[in-house]
Amino acid sequence: MASQLKPDKKLPYIQRASLKLDTLKFFMQVAWESDALDNKKYIELSEHLEDVGNQIGGWLKDTLKKLNPA
Protein backbone atom coordinates (compact mmCIF):
# COMPACT_ATOMS: atom_id res chain seq x y z
CA MET A 1 0.00 0.00 0.00
CA ALA A 2 2.71 2.43 0.98
CA SER A 3 4.34 2.35 -2.43
CA GLN A 4 1.29 4.07 -3.93
CA LEU A 5 1.11 6.89 -1.38
CA LYS A 6 2.80 10.26 -0.97
CA PRO A 7 5.68 10.34 1.55
CA ASP A 8 3.64 11.96 4.33
CA LYS A 9 0.97 9.25 4.03
CA LYS A 10 3.28 6.25 3.62
CA LEU A 11 5.31 6.75 6.79
CA PRO A 12 2.84 4.99 9.15
CA TYR A 13 2.65 1.99 6.80
CA ILE A 14 6.42 1.64 6.65
CA GLN A 15 6.70 1.98 10.43
CA ARG A 16 4.02 -0.68 10.86
CA ALA A 17 5.89 -3.01 8.49
CA SER A 18 9.06 -2.48 10.52
CA LEU A 19 7.23 -3.27 13.75
CA LYS A 20 5.70 -6.42 12.26
CA LEU A 21 9.10 -7.54 11.04
CA ASP A 22 10.57 -7.04 14.51
CA THR A 23 7.71 -9.06 15.99
CA LEU A 24 8.28 -11.84 13.47
CA LYS A 25 12.00 -11.93 14.28
CA PHE A 26 11.19 -12.13 18.00
CA PHE A 27 8.81 -15.06 17.59
CA MET A 28 11.21 -16.80 15.25
CA GLN A 29 13.90 -16.56 17.92
CA VAL A 30 11.49 -17.95 20.50
CA ALA A 31 10.72 -20.84 18.13
CA TRP A 32 14.44 -21.50 17.68
CA GLU A 33 15.13 -21.35 21.43
CA SER A 34 12.31 -23.83 22.07
CA ASP A 35 13.73 -26.15 19.38
CA ALA A 36 10.75 -25.69 17.07
CA LEU A 37 13.27 -24.50 14.43
CA ASP A 38 16.58 -26.20 13.81
CA ASN A 39 19.77 -24.16 13.44
CA LYS A 40 19.93 -24.47 9.66
CA LYS A 41 16.37 -23.24 9.12
CA TYR A 42 16.80 -20.46 11.69
CA ILE A 43 19.94 -19.19 9.95
CA GLU A 44 18.30 -19.35 6.53
CA LEU A 45 15.22 -17.47 7.66
CA SER A 46 17.28 -14.93 9.62
CA GLU A 47 19.26 -14.04 6.50
CA HIS A 48 16.08 -13.39 4.53
CA LEU A 49 14.58 -11.33 7.34
CA GLU A 50 17.78 -9.31 7.59
CA ASP A 51 17.50 -8.47 3.87
CA VAL A 52 13.87 -7.43 4.31
CA GLY A 53 14.84 -5.35 7.34
CA ASN A 54 17.51 -3.56 5.34
CA GLN A 55 15.01 -2.79 2.60
CA ILE A 56 12.40 -1.49 5.04
CA GLY A 57 15.05 0.53 6.88
CA GLY A 58 16.25 2.11 3.64
CA TRP A 59 12.70 2.90 2.61
CA LEU A 60 12.01 4.46 6.00
CA LYS A 61 15.21 6.53 5.87
CA ASP A 62 14.43 7.73 2.34
CA THR A 63 10.86 8.64 3.29
CA LEU A 64 12.00 10.58 6.35
CA LYS A 65 14.58 12.41 4.21
CA LYS A 66 11.82 13.44 1.77
CA LEU A 67 9.68 14.69 4.64
CA ASN A 68 12.53 16.59 6.33
CA PRO A 69 14.98 17.77 3.67
CA ALA A 70 18.24 19.11 5.11
Side-chain angles (χ1 to χ4, degrees):
M1 277 183 90
S3 66
Q4 305 300 318
L5 300 172
K6 294 182 181 182
D8 62 322
K9 302 290 184 191
K10 69 173 62 179
L11 188 59
Y13 290 95
I14 299 169
Q15 290 171 325
R16 192 173 314 137
S18 180
L19 178 62
K20 286 184 178 192
L21 178 65
D22 289 342
T23 303
L24 177 59
K25 291 192 300 191
F26 170 77
F27 282 115
M28 194 177 78
Q29 184 172 354
V30 169
W32 174 71
E33 289 175 357
S34 65
D35 293 327
L37 276 177
D38 63 28
N39 288 342
K40 183 178 177 182
K41 190 53 113 175
Y42 177 77
I43 291 168
E44 181 183 347
L45 291 171
S46 293
E47 290 171 353
H48 291 295
L49 292 179
E50 185 175 338
D51 290 341
V52 171
N54 289 336
Q55 292 172 353
I56 291 174
W59 197 11
L60 181 60
K61 184 178 177 180
D62 184 59
T63 301
L64 288 171
K65 189 183 293 184
K66 288 179 182 175
L67 290 173
N68 302 311

